[in-house]
Amino acid sequence: MKTYKKQIIITSLLILLTLLIGCSQEQSQSETLKGSAENDSSKQAINDNDTMEEKIIRLSGGDSGLPNPFRHVSRGPGISKMHLIYDSLIEKDEEGNIPWLAKDWEISEDGLEYIFFLEEDVFWQDGELLTAEDVKFTFDYYKKHSPVSNALYVHDEYIIESTEVLDALTVKITLNSPNPSYFTDVGFMRIIPKHIWESIEDPKSYDGEGKVIGSGPFVMESYNLQEGTYRYKAFDNYWGLNQKVDYIEWVPVSDTIMAFENEEIDLINVSADLISRYKDDSEFTLISKHSYHSYRLLLNMEKRDELKELNIRQGMAYAIDQQNLIDVVERGSGEIASMGYVPSVHYWYNNNVKDYEYNLEQAKELLEDTQLTFELLTGNSNDEIRIAELIQNDFREVGIELKIESVDNRARDGAVVEGKYELVLINSGGMGSDPSYLSNTYGEGSLPGYYNEEIQQLLIEQDKELDNDKRKELVFQLQELIAEEVPIIMLYGPVDNNVYRHGHYDGWMFRYDHNKATHNKLSYLER
């Protein structure tokens, strides 16, 4: 007889986040949706008093796509807006994973079967009841129609073997193999309503009724693609924690500092040289968090054979003054990234990986007077352009010329997906979660033209290893080998310095694996 081991909370060792990249096909029209929040909920009013002034949070805007699982932009702002509308089986707080739509679960001893027990009286934002059928449908649908953020495909295989409804509030998911990170991968996927999507063959182009209907705490009232504005309203019939705000608005601003000081937006991320402006003022609260993002140079070895040579890659790494990038661009507020990818603040960081301290002589020795010219693609933010220019200066010292091309971020991200670059500068995140993300980053086919058999075997082995200590050792080995190989030149991770007026709103929090307070669903809910 099969036995099950009951879990209350899975710790923070297990997670996979996609590294973004991708683009959505957006409609060029302003969209307005009315959440069907009309309901007969007896839920307590948000401010415990309907007569009180409505609480509104305003944040800096920008288009990040239609916030459903198939059409949001794959970066943090797009993902987080979608998460506020769509719930998952589990969520994440400061310490680890917590129950959400699933109030409890059981995991079989062989790690192959998960049984999720759902909360009762959970309603979709159009008034329909959420059941286990929706959960089963979601995972079956994602197999055929991949959402933007999809952790369910690993090494090109769908990790779910089957789903089964045991009763109206219980669903069993069977995996194709046990894996220490799969619980979080499955649990954090957004659940979608069967009654809306079951007849939709192309969700990426679907623009009809119910396209932004979730079971989450906020309903989208309006979205203007051209202006990058959104307006969310608290979902009155939300099953879970009370919302702390009535509305969230993302508004266009040209200068975030000025907009914050004019009280047009409620939170900003300031550079280190501006911290003193706020930290001794009792009106403001400053919270800093090391970034789980990092700037890096991606090397396209399909486009340029020279980049397959290890001495070229290592020479380029030695030629970049990473500390100077931090000092100039971030005013010193940042940390040189590990060439082994896993950041120093991660629980499985290996401090013994090879570093590439700025060394022109070492770089020249490795490059052996080779004269090279590359095209460097970058986004169009001031920081990215400045970083590209500083690297251009560094490379010139060792005989490498860079031709910089700056495009908007969406075009740059699209070029990464399509492999249309030689070198590309990009800032990516998701580095605070389970290190299974190394498979997405360095796995076969992830980096154009690059393959290392030993790395591949270690990636597969650590994905299957259920013993935590043994798996940690494998991840440590991976970091050392990746740092030696330099298939990506890691640069630095900035520190986020958030400033807000606590008198207006004081609910901001960081998730254990994420450094953006505004991106966390729990930042907007009572706990």
Side-chain angles (χ1 to χ4, degrees), residues 132-382:
E133 288 287 350
D134 292 296
V135 178
K136 171 180 168 51
F137 169 79
T138 295
F139 292 108
D140 292 346
Y141 195 75
Y142 283 166
K143 185 175 184 179
K144 298 178 182 175
H145 307 285
S146 181
V148 175
S149 300
N150 190 357
L152 302 179
Y153 273 98
V154 178
H155 303 302
D156 292 328
E157 288 189 43
Y158 200 65
I159 64 176
I160 294 177
E161 188 71 29
S162 65
T163 55
E164 181 182 354
V165 173
L166 302 184
D167 62 42
L169 294 174
T170 310
V171 63
K172 182 171 78 173
I173 295 176
T174 303
L175 304 175
N176 60 12
S177 64
N179 184 290
S181 67
Y182 283 0
F183 177 81
T184 304
D185 295 341
V186 170
F188 206 56
M189 296 298 292
R190 301 295 125 172
I191 305 303
I192 57 175
K194 177 182 178 180
H195 65 279
I196 291 175
W197 294 99
E198 62 183 341
S199 62
I200 307 303
E201 291 297 325
D202 183 8
K204 294 186 184 302
S205 65
Y206 179 61
D207 208 33
E209 187 175 356
K211 61 187 175 185
V212 190
I213 292 293
S215 63
F218 289 91
V219 176
M220 190 179 82
E221 279 200 337
S222 67
Y223 160 47
N224 187 299
L225 183 153
Q226 286 78 19
E227 296 180 357
T229 59
Y230 299 77
R231 178 177 166 89
Y232 284 10
K233 181 181 183 299
F235 177 32
D236 291 338
N237 204 21
Y238 187 53
W239 65 273
L241 302 175
N242 283 346
Q243 303 92 334
K244 292 186 75 172
V245 299
D246 299 276
Y247 295 93
I248 308 171
E249 296 178 352
W250 289 265
V251 297
V253 296
S254 55
D255 184 320
T256 56
I257 302 297
M258 184 176 296
F260 178 70
E261 299 204 343
N262 290 336
E263 301 189 33
E264 296 167 9
I265 57 176
D266 294 307
L267 183 146
I268 51 172
N269 183 16
V270 300
S271 58
D273 57 339
L274 287 177
I275 289 178
S276 60
R277 187 168 175 170
Y278 302 103
K279 78 173 186 178
D280 294 326
D281 190 326
S282 61
E283 182 181 4
F284 304 107
T285 293
L286 170 70
I287 50 174
S288 297
K289 179 82 169 178
H290 187 284
S291 176
Y292 287 117
H293 290 63
S294 179
Y295 287 103
R296 76 282 309 271
L297 275 183
L298 302 184
L299 317 175
N300 191 330
M301 302 178 208
E302 279 183 358
K303 292 277 188 183
R304 297 295 299 266
D305 282 341
E306 303 96 316
L307 295 171
K308 292 181 178 178
E309 298 179 26
L310 178 60
N311 62 319
I312 297 289
R313 300 197 300 272
Q314 290 184 337
M316 293 168 69
Y318 277 118
I320 298 174
D321 190 344
Q322 295 160 300
Q323 187 59 52
N324 188 51
L325 301 182
I326 297 171
D327 293 341
V328 172
V329 180
E330 307 293 340
R331 311 293 194 272
S333 184
E335 183 179 71
I336 293 174
S338 169
M339 210 61 80
Y341 195 84
V342 177
S344 66
V345 291
H346 194 282
Y347 46 84
W348 276 1
Y349 167 66
N350 181 352
N351 191 40
N352 294 319
V353 300
K354 181 176 183 175
D355 62 28
Y356 291 81
E357 187 175 355
Y358 179 53
N359 189 328
L360 282 181
E361 293 308 312
Q362 185 73 18
K364 290 176 181 176
E365 184 178 332
L366 286 162
L367 292 167
E368 298 177 332
D369 297 323
T370 305
Q371 300 297 308
L372 295 167
T373 299
F374 293 110
E375 295 174 355
L376 171 59
L377 183 66
T378 184
N380 58 0
S381 72
N382 291 336

Side-chain angles (χ1 to χ4, degrees), residues 103-120:
K103 61 183 180 183
D104 202 356
W105 50 80
E106 295 174 350
I107 301 177
S108 64
E109 289 187 344
D110 61 8
L112 287 174
E113 295 179 355
Y114 303 155
I115 295 180
F116 291 101
F117 303 94
L118 305 181
E119 291 279 356
E120 300 176 3

